[in-house]
Amino acid sequence: MKQLKLMNYMKTIETKILLGDSKDILKTIDENSIDLIVTSPPYADRRKNTYGGIKPEKYVDWFLEISKELLRVLKPRGTFILNIKEKAEEGERHTYVIELILALRNQGWFWTEEYVWHKKNSYPGKWPNRFRDAWERCIQFNKSKKFNMYQEEVMVPVGDWAKGRLKKLSETDKIRDNSKNGSGFGKNISNWIGREMVYPNNVLNFATVCNNKNHSAAFPEELPEWFIKLFTKEFDTVLDPFVGSGTTLHVAKKMKRNSIGIDIIPEYIEMIKKEMNE
Amino acid sequence: MKQLKLMNYMKTIETKILLGDSKDILKTIDENSIDLIVTSPPYADRRKNTYGGIKPEKYVDWFLEISKELLRVLKPRGTFILNIKEKAEEGERHTYVIELILALRNQGWFWTEEYVWHKKNSYPGKWPNRFRDAWERCIQFNKSKKFNMYQEEVMVPVGDWAKGRLKKLSETDKIRDNSKNGSGFGKNISNWIGREMVYPNNVLNFATVCNNKNHSAAFPEELPEWFIKLFTKEFDTVLDPFVGSGTTLHVAKKMKRNSIGIDIIPEYIEMIKKEMNE
DNA sequence: GTTCCGCATGAATCGATAG
DNA sequence: ACTATCGATTCATGCGGAA
């Protein structure tokens, strides 16, 4: 054990920053080498010629070329988290995101879950036909039913309701849904007494980033941090194929995870490199 | 104006409760006569003991027969709110709900928006591969880009975050702050100074119903109430083709809206009729 | 009249076991 | 091998009776 700890201290964390199109750069990465992919790809936008600027009609085909490589580099028990939200245009929500889910399943991915990132602090605002969009999808894909998940790492404090609740358990608590065999539940009542932490659910509350920089941070640090805690352990490797302002790399490094970030915009890559050296 | 008010007082609210298969019963309803459809259909494989449980593979086809009639009876500026959530099975989320969205668009519906109903008190449980499911979809469809929406009716008291936010407005807040991602929308936070009420967003927080009464409802009263406020005015007509325990009718009546409820289970229909008479 | 506190229950899901 | 049933696990809320 002491030996192991010593070895861990000697291990170094590597943060790779690669410039280029993910479709090409990913081919240089070994297969089955990544524990977690977490990314927020450029959103489809018909009108603008900003970063990415992929047309909604082409979005699925464009993404499948990249996700094909992601499927290759991900470890069998690794996880892929896709943070995305479809735009509203001409009064309608675009369908490219839900079409992408179906297409990724056809490509061989398992659609394990869809988390909701609830952006609590979104500004109030309104349009004639809709309210402010306060949530985004964080869609979880895996290579199979079995994957690594470290649920205890993301437990949260129990709500106030528990303070008085567990002083005395009712008879129905002991036997509920257990009419056939009442022995199993009773043993675990002790686990509840004095419990401070509970498991979270699939709705995540993170504030949005209010950055003053001239580039957009797709998500706040809490978001990749939560998924990195949940799906990796120290010295695992995290990949972000649309690394943008580098949030994923920054968090991974802080949490002692190796990481690889790819982006097609040279200015972003330069900025991340500068920040990482500081 | 006084005349109009007088007339409104003289108007009576009608609550129709119809027994049978919505696919058939809807054919007896006039076209372009409904202002709002809000419903929570039986989910695939759920409610087996009552509705028999629609198989996921058949779900889209089964629903399209009904939604075809819904499209007919809805007024041109009416709204259809579909509360639904796909189940998890064998480690994966089912795709029938997102397939249904695509199919409904093909049928002629506009997919205007997807609201998230965040259930704070979701069903407990723990599994090796997922957390508790704490949200459901409330999907908004319309017949065209133009529809009736009374946004002021659902305004909410300004939240704590805004109180603190507005005290010290940053310079970027005061000037029109064009969003960084090129979406074209801007925001002017200083407009909100002194306001007590703000518009809500597309994430709704309602607790699930877990009463000690002798029957349960699919959704809490707050849910249809919110959408009825938002999309109808007094003396409009609300339709629920899967009315179940009658929550929609009860709320509609309370809010002075005419309503029509359909269900295939005679016991539910009887129960609603009894409650409505009280 | 308020507040406090006990407590039943809710669109759940997975893995093991039985048929 | 494939399907059907059963047991294990868990959190938060609102109601109603008590203080």
Side-chain angles (χ1 to χ4, degrees):
Chain A
M1 190 60 204
K2 203 172 182 182
Q3 180 86 22
L4 185 66
K5 263 203 164 168
L6 191 61
M7 284 172 62
N8 278 351
Y9 279 123
M10 289 168 64
K11 279 193 203 172
T12 53
I13 296 298
E14 202 175 5
T15 306
K16 283 191 203 165
I17 305 158
L18 306 173
L19 170 65
D21 192 327
S22 273
K23 158 167 66 76
D24 308 316
I25 303 290
L26 284 169
K27 295 203 169 96
T28 68
I29 297 177
D30 288 343
E31 65 175 1
N32 300 332
S33 65
I34 304 293
D35 295 279
L36 172 66
I37 301 162
V38 54
T39 195
S40 188
Y43 297 174
D45 199 328
R46 180 179 285 118
R47 299 160 303 177
K48 299 292 172 184
N49 233 2
T50 53
Y51 175 53
I54 296 95
K55 290 182 169 53
E57 303 81 32
K58 309 265 186 188
Y59 199 86
V60 172
D61 289 340
W62 168 78
F63 198 89
L64 284 180
E65 273 199 275
I66 291 158
S67 59
K68 185 183 153 200
E69 294 302 316
L70 297 178
L71 192 60
R72 187 182 62 80
V73 300
L74 191 66
K75 286 183 185 173
R77 295 201 167 207
T79 290
F80 169 30
I81 297 291
L82 178 63
N83 166 230
I84 196 166
K85 181 68 191 252
E86 59 272 17
K87 285 256 194 281
E89 196 177 284
E90 307 249 348
E92 269 197 294
R93 286 281 168 198
H94 266 289
T95 56
Y96 60 88
V97 171
I98 58 179
E99 282 165 15
L100 180 59
I101 295 174
L102 297 175
L104 286 169
R105 282 193 81 241
N106 275 336
Q107 199 176 43
W109 293 96
F110 272 62
W111 179 27
T112 305
E113 181 59 305
E114 181 174 346
Y115 292 85
V116 162
W117 169 26
H118 180 196
K119 300 184 280 188
K120 257 190 172 168
N121 68 334
S122 64
Y123 293 106
K126 85 180 188 79
W127 293 268
N129 57 344
R130 66 181 65 248
F131 290 127
R132 178 79 165 86
D133 193 3
W135 67 283
E136 295 192 10
R137 309 175 193 277
C138 293
I139 314 173
Q140 177 189 350
F141 295 97
N142 293 93
K143 288 176 90 161
S144 78
K145 285 172 59 176
K146 292 273 185 184
F147 53 88
N148 299 322
M149 195 180 197
Y150 311 102
Q151 301 190 346
E152 285 70 26
E153 301 298 320
V154 293
M155 291 182 87
V156 292
V158 69
D160 291 338
W161 61 269
K163 269 187 232 157
R165 173 70 177 83
L166 296 168
K167 281 177 198 160
K168 179 172 162 286
L169 288 164
S170 68
E171 287 304 309
T172 44
D173 265 349
K174 291 172 191 164
I175 60 168
R176 185 190 158 210
D177 284 342
N178 230 356
S179 52
K180 302 283 195 295
N181 179 4
S183 60
F185 195 86
K187 185 170 178 270
N188 287 291
I189 290 177
S190 57
N191 290 344
W192 279 72
I193 295 177
R195 173 168 291 194
E196 300 287 331
M197 305 290 274
V198 296
Y199 294 99
N201 56 48
N202 60 359
V203 177
L204 314 175
N205 279 289
F206 302 127
T208 50
V209 198
C210 310
N211 60 333
N212 296 322
K213 296 172 187 171
N214 58 355
H215 59 80
S216 63
F219 41 57
E221 292 201 355
E222 286 91 340
L223 195 137
E225 186 178 343
W226 197 81
F227 288 112
I228 288 172
K229 273 196 276 191
L230 183 56
F231 293 120
T232 70
K233 49 191 194 309
E234 287 193 356
F235 306 105
D236 279 358
T237 301
V238 179
L239 166 68
D240 187 343
F242 306 98
V243 72
S245 61
T247 311
T248 305
L249 301 188
H250 185 72
V251 173
K253 190 178 181 184
K254 193 177 72 182
M255 298 171 70
K256 291 194 184 167
R257 269 75 168 176
N258 296 296
S259 59
I260 304 173
I262 307 172
D263 212 287
I264 201 168
I265 313 282
E267 289 79 11
Y268 282 178
I269 297 294
E270 283 312 308
M271 187 161 43
I272 299 171
K273 280 185 178 170
K274 203 182 290 177
E275 286 177 357
M276 283 291 170
N277 285 334
E278 282 168 6
Chain B
M1 188 64 202
K2 203 172 181 182
Q3 180 85 23
L4 185 66
K5 261 202 166 169
L6 189 63
M7 283 172 63
N8 280 351
Y9 278 122
M10 288 167 65
K11 279 194 203 174
T12 53
I13 295 299
E14 200 175 6
T15 306
K16 282 191 204 164
I17 305 157
L18 306 174
L19 170 66
D21 192 327
S22 272
K23 160 169 62 74
D24 308 317
I25 303 291
L26 284 169
K27 296 201 170 103
T28 69
I29 297 178
D30 288 344
E31 65 175 1
N32 300 331
S33 64
I34 303 293
D35 295 279
L36 171 66
I37 301 162
V38 54
T39 195
S40 190
Y43 301 176
D45 281 345
R46 299 285 174 234
R47 299 265 159 114
K48 271 182 191 158
N49 45 346
T50 48
Y51 289 92
I54 294 94
K55 289 266 175 295
E57 305 81 39
K58 309 264 187 185
Y59 200 87
V60 173
D61 288 339
W62 168 79
F63 198 87
L64 285 181
E65 273 199 274
I66 291 158
S67 58
K68 185 183 152 200
E69 294 302 317
L70 297 178
L71 192 60
R72 187 182 62 80
V73 301
L74 191 66
K75 286 183 185 172
R77 295 203 166 203
T79 291
F80 169 30
I81 296 292
L82 177 64
N83 165 230
I84 197 166
K85 177 75 189 216
E86 61 272 21
K87 63 174 200 160
E89 191 181 275
E90 307 241 1
E92 270 197 295
R93 285 280 165 202
H94 259 283
T95 55
Y96 59 89
V97 172
I98 57 178
E99 283 165 13
L100 179 59
I101 295 174
L102 297 175
L104 285 169
R105 281 194 80 243
N106 275 335
Q107 199 176 43
W109 293 96
F110 273 62
W111 178 28
T112 305
E113 180 60 304
E114 181 173 346
Y115 292 84
V116 163
W117 170 24
H118 179 15
K119 302 184 287 185
K120 283 177 290 187
N121 63 335
S122 57
Y123 200 96
K126 179 186 184 298
W127 305 274
N129 58 342
R130 67 182 63 249
F131 290 128
R132 296 183 302 141
D133 193 1
W135 68 283
E136 295 193 11
R137 308 176 193 275
C138 292
I139 314 173
Q140 177 189 349
F141 295 97
N142 292 94
K143 287 176 94 161
S144 79
K145 285 170 61 177
K146 292 273 186 185
F147 52 90
N148 299 321
M149 193 178 196
Y150 311 102
Q151 300 190 347
E152 286 69 24
E153 301 298 319
V154 293
M155 292 182 84
V156 292
V158 68
D160 290 336
W161 70 267
K163 281 180 200 152
R165 185 88 179 86
L166 295 173
K167 272 180 199 161
K168 45 180 185 124
L169 288 171
S170 70
E171 285 306 308
T172 46
D173 280 340
K174 285 175 191 165
I175 61 173
R176 186 177 163 84
D177 177 24
N178 288 310
S179 52
K180 312 286 199 295
N181 60 4
S183 65
F185 294 114
K187 53 204 173 237
N188 193 336
I189 295 302
S190 53
N191 284 345
W192 295 98
I193 292 175
R195 289 229 195 168
E196 293 301 323
M197 303 292 277
V198 296
Y199 293 100
N201 55 47
N202 58 0
V203 177
L204 314 174
N205 275 286
F206 303 128
T208 53
V209 190
C210 61
N211 47 11
N212 295 328
K213 294 174 190 167
N214 50 7
H215 69 84
S216 66
F219 43 57
E221 292 200 355
E222 287 94 334
L223 195 136
E225 186 178 342
W226 197 83
F227 288 113
I228 289 173
K229 274 196 276 192
L230 182 57
F231 293 119
T232 70
K233 50 191 195 307
E234 287 193 356
F235 306 104
D236 279 358
T237 301
V238 179
L239 166 68
D240 187 342
F242 305 97
V243 74
S245 60
T247 310
T248 305
L249 300 188
H250 185 71
V251 173
K253 190 178 180 185
K254 194 177 71 183
M255 298 170 70
K256 291 193 185 167
R257 269 74 170 174
N258 296 298
S259 59
I260 304 173
I262 307 171
D263 212 286
I264 202 167
I265 313 285
E267 288 79 9
Y268 282 175
I269 298 293
E270 284 309 309
M271 187 164 52
I272 299 170
K273 282 185 178 171
K274 203 182 293 177
E275 285 178 359
M276 285 291 168
N277 286 333
E278 284 169 6

